[in-house]
């Protein structure tokens, strides 16, 4: 039986952002996010019954502000090995891999993406990720790829 996607896990740098990190003398100063991605996360996902979650290898106060703005309660930063955390979080929620979608762009996402039932990457992801995903977005990271994948998931769920 094919399950409905209930959880969307997102990477940040290169996925929710274009991967550029501007660092000033006092540390991280700027990341840019796409407003269309934000609308999809804060409005389309809840309406579709899909919970947004972020798992990222970096720590960022900027990301904490953006996640709060988008009503993302599931934010996990500084996670170098994402798969064990993803296993634990899905087990706690009683989710199967088929109910998990994941979007990422680089090799630190690879093992967690192999766990998820539906996967995607931005158009500018590394080849090793493009080779294993369900869906390669037409848009680049930080330029609407997450919104594109959200719309794909909604259509997918409607046909399940």
């Amino acid at each position: 039986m094919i399950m409905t996607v209930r959880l969307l896990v997102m990477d940040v740098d290169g996925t929710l952002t274009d991967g550029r990190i501007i660092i000033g003398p006092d540390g991280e100063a700027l990341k840019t996010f796409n407003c269309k991605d934000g609308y999809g996360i804060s409005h389309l996902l809840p309406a579709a019954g899909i919970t947004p979650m972020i798992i990222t290898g970096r720590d960022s106060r900027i990301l904490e502000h953006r996640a709060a703005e988008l009503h993302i309660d599931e934010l996990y930063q500084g996670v170098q090995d994402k798969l064990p955390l993803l296993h634990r979080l899905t087990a706690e929620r009683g989710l199967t891999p088929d109910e998990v979608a994941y979007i990422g762009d680089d090799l630190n996402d690879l093992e967690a993406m192999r766990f998820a039932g539906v996967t995607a990457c931005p158009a500018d992801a590394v080849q090793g990720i493009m080779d294993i995903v369900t869906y390669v977005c037409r848009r680049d990271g930080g330029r609407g790829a997450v919104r594109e994948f959200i719309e794909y998931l909604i259509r997918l769920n409607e046909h399940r």
Side-chain angles (χ1 to χ4, degrees):
M1 181 171 126
I2 298 174
M3 306 294 287
T4 300
V5 172
R6 301 275 179 226
L7 177 68
L8 172 58
V9 180
M10 298 167 283
D11 177 47
V12 177
D13 296 319
T15 302
L16 280 169
T17 74
D18 65 7
R20 294 182 304 155
I21 301 167
I22 300 171
I23 300 177
D26 297 321
E28 191 173 315
L30 180 67
K31 287 181 186 245
T32 58
F33 296 91
N34 184 284
C35 65
K36 290 179 180 74
D37 289 345
Y39 185 87
I41 292 165
S42 63
H43 292 86
L44 301 181
L45 285 179
I50 301 172
T51 301
M53 177 184 288
I54 291 174
I55 302 177
T56 181
R58 295 180 58 90
D59 288 301
S60 167
R61 302 240 3 199
I62 295 167
L63 180 57
E64 290 173 14
H65 291 291
R66 182 64 173 158
E69 181 179 67
L70 298 178
H71 311 290
I72 299 173
D73 298 324
E74 304 281 342
L75 172 60
Y76 302 92
Q77 298 194 76
V79 180
Q80 301 311 311
D81 189 356
K82 298 177 181 186
L83 182 59
L85 176 63
L86 186 55
H87 271 289
R88 180 175 62 80
L89 295 172
T90 55
E92 287 173 0
R93 290 160 179 75
L95 297 175
T96 67
D98 285 341
E99 295 173 293
V100 177
Y102 193 112
I103 184 167
D105 71 305
D106 212 335
L107 297 178
N108 63 327
D109 297 304
L110 184 64
E111 294 306 316
M113 292 178 90
R114 285 185 173 147
F115 169 80
V118 183
T119 56
C121 67
D124 59 345
V126 300
Q127 191 63 50
I129 295 298
M130 286 186 179
D131 292 341
I132 62 105
V133 297
T134 310
Y135 181 79
V136 176
C137 297
R138 294 179 307 277
R139 298 188 174 276
D140 288 346
R143 305 219 187 284
V146 171
R147 172 67 174 269
E148 182 181 336
F149 187 46
I150 289 168
E151 291 174 357
Y152 172 85
L153 291 175
I154 291 168
R155 288 190 307 273
L156 185 69
N157 277 353
E158 289 172 352
H159 292 97
R160 289 187 165 184

